[in-house]
Amino acid sequence: MRSISVFGATGSIGESTLALLTPGQVRVVALTGGRQVGRLAEQARRFGAEVAVTAHPEALDDLRAALAGSGVQAAAGPQALIEAADRPADWVMSAIVGAAGLAPGLRALRHGTTLALANKESLVTAGPLLLATAAAHGATVLPVDSEHSAVFQALAGEDRAGVERVIITASGGPFRDWPLERIARATPEQAVAHPNWSMGQRISIDSASMFNKALELIETREFFGFAPEMIETVVHPQSIVHALVGFRDGGIMAHLGPADMRHAIGYALHWPDRGHVPVERLDLTRLARLTFEAPDPVRFPALRLAREVMATRGLSGAAFNAAKEVALDAFLDRRIGFLDMAAVVEQVLDRLSGELRLRIAAATLEEVTAADHLARQRADEAVSARQAKR
C-alpha cells in the first residue's frame, strides 16, 4: 500500500490533495496544518493518520482533545514538523505556505521520497540546495504549481536543448483593469477576491499583486534551469492556458485545462502514469475566446523585481521572499497600502545588496535561514518607516 504524507493539509492544496485519496487505499503517515485543528483532526481520523501536527504549539492541547481516542498521535511546533517529515513516505505533498515549508521538504527528500512541490518558496529561497538534496538521496521533485506542472508536461519526451522560450500565464487578478490610483487604495478584502481560482488568503493577495507570478518566474528559473531571458509571462484572464513552451523550430506547445488545482496535483500523484482525475473536461466549443496581453510593469512591479532576483540568484531569492511575506502581513494588518508591498521588497533588496553577499550560492539551510531573518528585520524597519509617514 502506498504511503503518503500531506504537509499543509488544511489549506486549499492540501484539501484538494486529500479529495483525490480514498481512505483505506493509501497509508497516511503524517498530516500537518495550522490553526484549524478541528479540521486537521477530522482529516487525521478519516484517513487513520499516524500523526497530526499543528505548526502552532499553543494549539496542541486543542488538537490532542480533538484526536482523543483516535489512536492518532498529536504534535506541534516547527521541530514536530521536521520529525513528521522524518517519517518515511513514498509520496509527500509539500503545501505549507511560505518559507516555513523549506525545512520539512528538505528533510523528506533525505528519505528518497517523491516530493510533490506546491511550496514554491522552497525553490525561490533555496532551489540549488533543494535539487542537490534530491539528487544526493535519489529523490524526485515534481512541480505542483499549475504553471510548472504544465511546463513539465509540455517538456515530457522533449530535448530541452531545443527549447527557445517558456511562457507562464497569469490571470491578472482582480486589479488587472484598475487604474493605478484605485489600486493604491485597495483593501485586503478586495485583493483576496480572485476572479478564477479558489485559493487561500495569502496566495490570493499574492496573485493580485503579481508577487505570486514573480515567485513563479524565479521558480521556473530554478527548477528547469532555463536562462532568465528565455522565461516570459503573459496575462491570460481566462486561466485556461497554464503555460506554453516554444521550440527552435517555431512550434509552441500549450497546456490547457480548467482552473482546478486537482489536475496538477493528480498528475503528480499518478506520475509517471496518467490516472483518472475528477476535474471538469474542457468543452472547446464553449470557450468564447482566449486572450493574451503583456503585463503592465507599472501596475505590477513585482515582476521587475523577480527579474533582478533571477539575475542575482544566490541568497537574493530568500531575501525577496522574506521581505514579501513581511510586507504581505503588514498589508493584511492595514499598516501599509497595497502598492507599498513592492516598495518594501525593493527597499530591502537594495539595502541587503550592501549588507549581505546576495550572490553567494546558498549551500546550507542555515545560510538561507540567516538571509531570511535579516531580510525580515529590514522589512519590518521599512514597514515602520512607511507607517510613520502615513
Side-chain angles (χ1 to χ4, degrees), residues 57-143:
E58 66 275 15
L60 179 57
D61 288 345
D62 289 340
L63 180 60
R64 281 177 173 156
L67 288 172
S70 68
V72 180
Q73 180 183 347
Q79 185 57 37
L81 290 174
I82 299 298
E83 291 170 1
D86 247 341
R87 296 179 180 236
D90 299 323
W91 189 90
V92 176
M93 167 56 75
S94 174
I96 296 174
V97 176
L102 174 60
L106 286 171
R107 185 59 62 94
L109 288 172
R110 294 183 185 180
H111 295 281
T113 189
T114 294
L115 185 70
L117 191 63
N119 173 257
K120 57 176 61 65
E121 292 84 359
S122 291
L123 283 169
V124 170
T125 62
L129 176 61
L130 184 89
L131 297 178
T133 301
H137 296 277
T140 300
V141 180
L142 297 175

Side-chain angles (χ1 to χ4, degrees), residues 97-102 121-122 124-126 314-326 348 352 356 358 362 364-380:
V97 176
L102 174 60
E121 292 84 359
S122 291
V124 170
T125 62
L315 293 171
S316 63
F320 176 88
N321 179 72
K324 188 276 297 182
E325 290 187 10
V326 170
V348 170
L352 288 189
L356 192 69
L358 290 181
T364 67
L365 178 59
E366 290 71 25
E367 289 174 332
V368 175
T369 301
D372 176 278
H373 287 171
L374 182 57
R376 289 177 190 276
Q377 292 174 13
R378 297 296 176 258
D380 281 332

